[in-house]
Amino acid sequence: MPQTLAAAVLRTHCANILKAAGSTPAEAQQVADNLVLANLSGHDSHGVGMLPRYVDAIAEGGLTPNADVKVNIDIGTMMSLDGQHGFGQVVGVQAMELGIARAKQHGSCIFTLASAHHLGRIGHFAEMATAQGLVSMHFVNVLSRPVVAPWGGGDGRFGTNPCCIGIPLAGAEPFLLDFATSRVAQGKMRVAHNKGVRVPDGYLIDENGAPTNEPGVVVVPQGNGLFGALMTFGEHKGYGMAMACELLGGALTGGGTWHRPADTARTVLNGMLTVLIDPSKLGTQATFEQEATAFVDWLRQSPPGAGYEHVQIAGEPERAARVAREVEGIWLDDATWSEIVASGAKVGVAVA
Ligand code: NAD
């Protein structure tokens, strides 16, 4: 049955399953908090629905509980880091803590993070940086089933490669742009398929490379045993951005790019290039603050377009969802809840 659960209850269930799967209590809590925060933020595709996959990835050997980030190269303003297949929610935060300290010391820091297991919502890392007054940019690739087609191509060749830019705004919440370069998240297609609804034009191609509105083409193998694929956002431009994320997040980090047929592994590895900038070290802090605020105010004065209440700034939808879902609880569809219960059973935890 579908469930609506309070965030606190969901955190406890997730942490219990993760502890039984091998995480220390502290790691289990950190990962559970991160997943539930993604649900609260409105991004169910990166919330607790990922937990069954994590439990399977541990069993497969692709996800190593209790691993720490490893510093391979450190030249002050540049670091090469290895996630050692640890939980992205943990090694990603460790990497950001190192990078933020360096950016505050030197004015900027560029770091690569290779071989982190699924980093979840990338905006989480940009929020850490903007909270410290830093600009934060992230380019990420995904080593998992290749679900997104290159522009002009007829099958999936890479992942949903997210890109994220966080910019602090004086006296206000930050600009927090955080998006997959696919037209829509793979998880949202699973939800649509489970509900039996069709999706708009331009989202998908089928297993033969033809446009389709059936979300099932990327959820279950089709007649010929193959999957369809998601399209990138923004046609050839989104494709270019997805490719930049693969080259920067995969090749430059050393974590690797995707160039092999799909397999059935449950492990999801992310590579991430991060650029951190401290505006106060550029001598433009006062102008930056004034000009950024003036621009945001200017945007907000735009009259609402047809069908819209007002102009929003990236980051606002997630913050509004957090306020609402803290009160209303988090709704989980039947399939997601059943998978969580089943993954608990795999590690001897009864979830009810
Ligand atoms: P999305 O399509 O909902 O876009 C989200 C972005 O658009 C946010 O920055 C949001 O604030 C902004 N936005 C939404 N509506 C807006 C409006 N009306 N006006 C202004 N801005 C608006 O999100 P998505 O592309 O489905 O990505 C969801 C999440 O999935 C992200 O957090 C991303 O990091 C994550 N992700 C992670 C991986 C991974 O492998 N770790 C892969 C893909 C995506």
Side-chain angles (χ1 to χ4, degrees), residues 52-91:
R53 203 153 173 181
Y54 294 173
V55 170
D56 290 350
I58 292 171
E60 238 172 49
L63 167 55
T64 309
N66 312 312
D68 291 315
V69 78
K70 181 172 159 232
V71 180
N72 281 335
I73 293 177
D74 177 359
I75 57 168
T77 56
M78 287 179 108
M79 290 184 292
S80 170
L81 308 175
D82 185 340
Q84 306 203 94
H85 291 217
F87 272 105
Q89 291 84 353
V90 174
V91 295

Side-chain angles (χ1 to χ4, degrees), residues 43 45-46 118-123 142 160-162 176-180 185 188 268 270 312-318:
H43 292 295
S45 52
H46 289 73
H118 191 236
L119 288 161
R121 204 178 61 86
I122 306 304
V142 189
T160 51
N161 296 1
L176 219 305
L177 179 64
D178 174 26
F179 60 95
K188 288 176 186 158
V268 187
N270 282 143
Q312 294 194 77
I313 305 303
E316 284 179 359
E318 287 73 16

Side-chain angles (χ1 to χ4, degrees), residues 205-280:
I205 53 173
D206 68 17
E207 68 284 8
N208 300 310
T212 179
N213 304 93
E214 290 297 339
V217 298
V218 291
V219 181
V220 288
Q222 299 301 293
N224 54 7
L226 299 174
F227 286 92
L230 299 164
M231 309 287 287
T232 53
F233 81 97
E235 303 181 335
H236 54 288
K237 302 175 201 182
Y239 162 50
M241 189 65 143
M243 192 170 161
C245 286
E246 191 76 27
L247 296 175
L248 297 173
L252 190 66
T253 61
T257 60
W258 188 278
H259 44 75
R260 62 179 192 273
D263 56 35
T264 55
R266 299 278 283 165
T267 299
V268 187
L269 294 179
N270 282 143
M272 177 165 77
L273 171 72
T274 295
V275 179
L276 294 159
I277 301 168
D278 183 349
S280 72

Side-chain angles (χ1 to χ4, degrees), residues 295-305 308-314 316-317:
F295 183 61
V296 171
D297 289 347
W298 166 251
L299 294 179
R300 288 197 197 285
Q301 287 162 19
S302 180
Y308 291 87
E309 281 178 25
H310 55 86
V311 165
Q312 294 194 77
I313 305 303
E316 284 179 359

